[in-house]
Amino acid sequence: MSAPERIPPRGLTAVDPLDLLTSGELTVRGQIREASNAVLFCSVAYGGQEADCVYKPVAGERPLWDFPDGTLAQREVAAYEVSEATGWGLVPPTVLRDGPFGPGMVQLWMEGDPSVSLLALVDDEEAGEGWKAVGLAQVDEDRTALLVHADDVRLRRLAVLDAVINNGDRKGGHLLPAPDGKLYAIDHGVTFNVDDKLRTLLWGWAGEPLPQEALDVLARLDASLAPGAPLATRLAELITPAEVAAVRARVGALRTSGRHPEPSGQWPAIPWPPV
């Protein structure tokens, strides 16, 4: 028997990435120990093709007092479904399935391009052209610096997506600029809370008018979130009815304001550590 053909993430293949992730044979290759929950690096093979992926078993999740319902894995998949509904493709293909350690989330592995910098710390008060200021960040005991992110349309789209899914933990390490020019975002377990939990590094557009592209996407999301509509039906399989209603309300609020959200001031707006 010939060895499976190794495929690059998001490459053109005869096997749909979702079919590969859902039906393929998972083989655990190692553990990503920096993560706070169990994250396993795996390969997945199906239909003569193979790819790398991440498997996060529900059994390895640590309970969160402010997310008492559902699982991190379900919210990761829900974030993928919303991302796909926007048409921006910001979240890698992600599925729920059984694995070697029980049910969990399986996501196609994406390699980031280390030569691309989307975040920076600068000592000057002004970020400079091409950058958006986020706020001051503590570098060490004696020094603070201005945290900035690139003024990039891909990041701006992600800022809108994060506002919709109520992302409570958008860190720099969750941003993967790919060699092909696309941007992928990972780690969406802390999302979809009914309370405002938005914490992110992408505040550079706070209060600014939303681009027309974003308004068009929000209009499509609004329609697809109507009771009985496809996205609403899919999300109801993954998160609670109250959480689905909260997604719908956030989309409506963004359309009404026509602006990027601003920090509430009720808690730290930037996650720690920021990367």
Side-chain angles (χ1 to χ4, degrees), residues 35-216:
S36 56
N37 296 279
V39 181
L40 303 176
F41 179 71
C42 301
S43 62
V44 59
Y46 178 71
Q49 296 180 339
E50 184 176 348
D52 295 330
C53 63
V54 170
Y55 165 46
K56 298 182 181 180
V58 172
E61 296 181 3
R62 295 181 181 180
L64 299 174
W65 68 267
D66 52 346
F67 286 83
D69 301 311
T71 65
L72 302 181
Q74 288 171 295
R75 290 190 285 275
E76 293 251 28
V77 177
Y80 166 72
E81 296 289 352
V82 176
S83 170
E84 287 298 285
T86 66
W88 289 330
L90 292 166
V91 179
T94 312
V95 303
L96 276 177
R97 59 161 291 176
D98 201 17
F101 299 100
M105 178 277 276
V106 178
Q107 185 175 80
L108 199 63
W109 178 268
M110 293 296 178
E111 289 287 351
D113 185 346
S115 69
V116 178
S117 296
L118 297 175
L119 300 168
L121 289 169
V122 296
D123 289 321
D124 299 327
E125 292 185 1
E126 295 296 329
E129 187 177 354
W131 296 89
K132 303 288 282 187
V134 178
L136 290 176
Q138 195 73 33
V139 178
D140 53 40
E141 291 184 0
D142 303 317
R143 175 175 170 251
T144 59
L146 186 65
L147 178 65
V148 299
H149 64 70
D151 188 6
D152 187 307
V153 65
R154 301 169 301 171
L155 290 180
R156 193 165 192 173
R157 290 168 176 170
L158 184 58
V160 175
L161 176 65
D162 281 343
V164 170
I165 66 177
N166 197 15
N167 193 345
D169 193 34
R170 172 60 72 211
K171 296 178 180 178
H174 302 165
L175 307 175
L176 300 177
D180 63 2
K182 295 181 180 179
L183 175 72
Y184 297 105
I186 60 172
D187 286 347
H188 296 101
V190 189
T191 49
F192 295 102
N193 203 297
V194 295
D195 299 321
D196 184 3
K197 297 280 186 180
L198 187 59
R199 291 202 311 164
T200 176
L201 291 177
L202 304 179
W203 288 116
W205 299 282
E208 293 186 11
L210 290 165
Q212 186 60 49
E213 175 197 42
L215 292 172
D216 293 342

